[in-house]
Amino acid sequence: MSASQTSDVPTLLVKIFGKDRPGITAGLFDTLAAYSVDVVDIEQVVTRGRIVLCALVTMPSHGTEGELRSTVHSWAESLKMQAEILSGTGDNRPRGSGRSHVTVLGHPLTAESTAAVAARITATGGNIDRIFRLAKYPVTAVEFAVSGCETEPLRTALATAAAHIGVDVAVVSAGLHRRAQRLVVMDVDSTLIQDEVIELFAAHAGCETEVAEVTERAMRGELDFEQSLHARVALLAGLDASVVEKVQAEVRLTPGARTLIRTLKQLGYQVGVVSGGFTQVTDELRERLGLDFASANTLEIVDGKLTGRVTGEIVDRAGKARLLRRFAKEAGVPLEQTVAIGDGANDLDMLNAAGLGVAFNAKPVVREAAHTAVNVPFLDTVLYLLGVTREEVEAAGLT
């Protein structure tokens, strides 16, 4: 029987709750089968060993409703469970237009912050249709299925609230594209890795203080990225090329980076990196991690020495967005199905160009401009924003 056929016919909502054990679902429907009812809807939730099983079924033939009720209650009592049966008409009311997935990450997730998120959804005109947990480690991640309001206003409202209530919130529109093949592009320094590559090179050249001073001038807006890049690289002139292997060995991946990339690859995603750093590091990361794309600046090496110059196209703020578009075209992935992850102002154009821009432990200006922010030190939490559960990751043996 179709949904339209059940819109005005009598139905029964059968609710069973108690201690979970194998065979409950089969037992309930075996009991109901004796009355030749049709199943209109089913919902089952198990939390800390307690089950709530709801079945919406058509009304049994005339004169047998009382018998059905008695039989179901007797069956439930035999299992030391409780049953509640409510008569009514039709199916669930239609969900409102405008559907979104709202993912909330908490470390921990408090009752206060959950209440605040739910209240903001309601204030935006949304209705929470379903909630389920995506992960309990390394953060608590839950997903709200919301209808009744458009994605963009909901995203804006929750982004404003997130910083005040101490959680990370991502809002994406519902639809088949969420599980479609995608492209994920990440910044490298302080995102994929914990380090700033220029500082690792500077440590070997003994010019860490000078490099830091140039970086500070760039942050104050006295130099643009290209000027600061040339100024810092010039300080590395004369360094022996053997330092490249030393820096490669010193690079530390961000916790969860391997899990994120392996899981994405297993799901059929393509993964790339763009960096204001150097190909001498990103090429090695590409090979080590099995990345599909990688682009960065290149340190010039002549006669076994760093010249203090870079060669080729400069990867700056605009360049990162340009490379995202290029990678998407080569991957055959629409731009709206791309995900960009970064931490600095240099990543803003890329984050805004992507279908989903994720600010990872970012500066305030970046958090405010990105679609969503993750403020825990585990890169694999980005998976939860894509609807991947911790159980799916663990089942694949990728942790």
Side-chain angles (χ1 to χ4, degrees):
M1 186 177 293
S2 68
S4 60
Q5 289 174 309
T6 61
S7 60
D8 57 359
V9 301
T11 51
L12 289 176
L13 175 60
V14 181
K15 179 180 178 183
I16 306 296
F17 45 100
K19 185 177 180 181
D20 188 30
R21 71 202 74 183
I24 291 174
T25 305
L28 173 61
F29 286 98
D30 186 53
T31 301
L32 294 172
Y35 298 91
S36 301
V37 297
D38 295 331
V39 177
V40 179
D41 196 6
I42 309 172
E43 191 82 32
Q44 178 175 306
V45 177
V46 178
T47 305
R48 209 182 67 179
R50 309 293 291 184
I51 186 172
V52 178
L53 170 60
C54 294
L56 186 65
V57 299
T58 54
M59 191 71 72
S61 58
H62 183 69
T64 59
E65 180 187 346
E67 184 182 337
L68 180 150
R69 288 174 176 270
S70 177
T71 303
V72 170
H73 279 289
S74 296
W75 169 80
E77 288 172 6
S78 72
L79 297 176
K80 297 183 179 179
M81 303 185 75
Q82 293 178 275
E84 181 180 12
I85 304 175
L86 303 172
S87 57
T89 303
D91 196 352
N92 303 312
R93 64 181 177 84
R95 294 179 64 191
S97 61
R99 300 180 185 180
S100 305
H101 297 286
V102 177
T103 306
V104 181
L105 308 181
H107 191 56
L109 181 62
T110 66
E112 181 181 9
S113 59
T114 305
V117 170
R120 189 56 64 97
I121 291 172
T122 301
T124 312
N127 183 71
I128 300 171
D129 301 313
R130 184 173 299 172
I131 307 173
F132 62 95
R133 187 176 68 184
L134 293 166
K136 61 181 178 181
Y137 173 84
V139 299
T140 301
V142 296
E143 182 171 289
F144 296 75
V146 176
S147 63
C149 60
E150 296 304 317
T151 298
E152 285 304 322
L154 182 61
R155 176 184 289 160
T156 300
L158 288 173
T160 303
H164 298 296
I165 58 183
V167 295
D168 299 330
V169 182
V171 182
V172 297
S173 60
L176 293 175
H177 67 274
R178 195 182 190 210
R179 285 287 192 173
Q181 185 186 50
R182 285 188 176 182
L183 168 69
V184 176
V185 176
M186 288 175 275
D187 172 45
V188 175
D189 292 10
S190 299
T191 300
L192 178 64
I193 66 174
Q194 300 177 58
D195 312 283
E196 294 288 330
V197 169
I198 185 69
E199 294 178 2
L200 296 179
F201 277 101
H204 289 280
C207 59
E208 297 157 280
T209 302
E210 293 90 335
V211 164
E213 288 174 354
V214 175
T215 301
E216 184 62 30
R217 288 183 62 197
M219 291 178 67
R220 290 197 302 264
E222 297 173 10
L223 297 172
D224 64 20
F225 175 80
E226 186 169 347
Q227 289 174 318
S228 69
L229 175 68
H230 289 308
R232 287 177 290 182
V233 171
L235 296 168
L236 306 180
L239 202 57
D240 193 274
S242 62
V243 75
V244 169
E245 290 187 2
K246 296 176 183 177
V247 168
Q248 289 173 346
E250 291 168 352
V251 164
R252 300 166 299 161
L253 292 176
T254 298
R258 284 187 183 276
T259 299
L260 172 66
I261 293 169
R262 289 175 179 175
T263 304
L264 291 172
K265 296 292 290 180
Q266 183 153 314
L267 289 172
Y269 285 52
Q270 297 187 62
V271 185
V273 293
V274 290
S275 176
F278 310 111
T279 56
Q280 282 83 357
V281 170
T282 58
D283 287 350
E284 192 276 334
L285 288 170
R286 177 176 183 168
E287 182 176 352
R288 191 198 326 173
L289 299 173
L291 302 172
D292 299 285
F293 304 97
S295 188
N297 302 297
T298 298
L299 292 169
E300 184 181 61
I301 298 176
V302 177
D303 297 330
K305 302 286 185 180
L306 272 64
T307 66
R309 296 187 294 270
V310 292
T311 62
E313 179 183 13
I314 297 297
V315 179
D316 56 8
R317 175 170 169 165
K320 287 187 175 185
R322 187 168 57 249
L323 286 163
L324 170 71
R325 294 186 176 93
R326 183 190 303 172
F327 294 167
K329 184 176 181 180
E330 292 177 14
V333 174
L335 198 60
E336 59 268 21
Q337 289 177 207
T338 61
V339 179
I341 311 168
D343 74 299
N346 203 34
D347 301 311
L348 274 174
D349 289 3
M350 175 178 73
L351 297 181
N352 289 328
L356 177 65
V358 181
F360 181 72
N361 292 312
K363 286 72 176 174
V365 65
V366 182
R367 291 201 304 268
E368 292 168 7
H371 296 135
T372 188
V374 171
N375 295 300
V376 293
F378 312 107
L379 195 56
D380 53 340
T381 55
V382 173
L383 290 168
Y384 310 142
L385 308 184
L386 305 178
V388 180
T389 69
R390 190 70 189 178
E391 281 124 353
E392 288 174 314
V393 176
E394 292 175 349
L398 297 171
T399 54

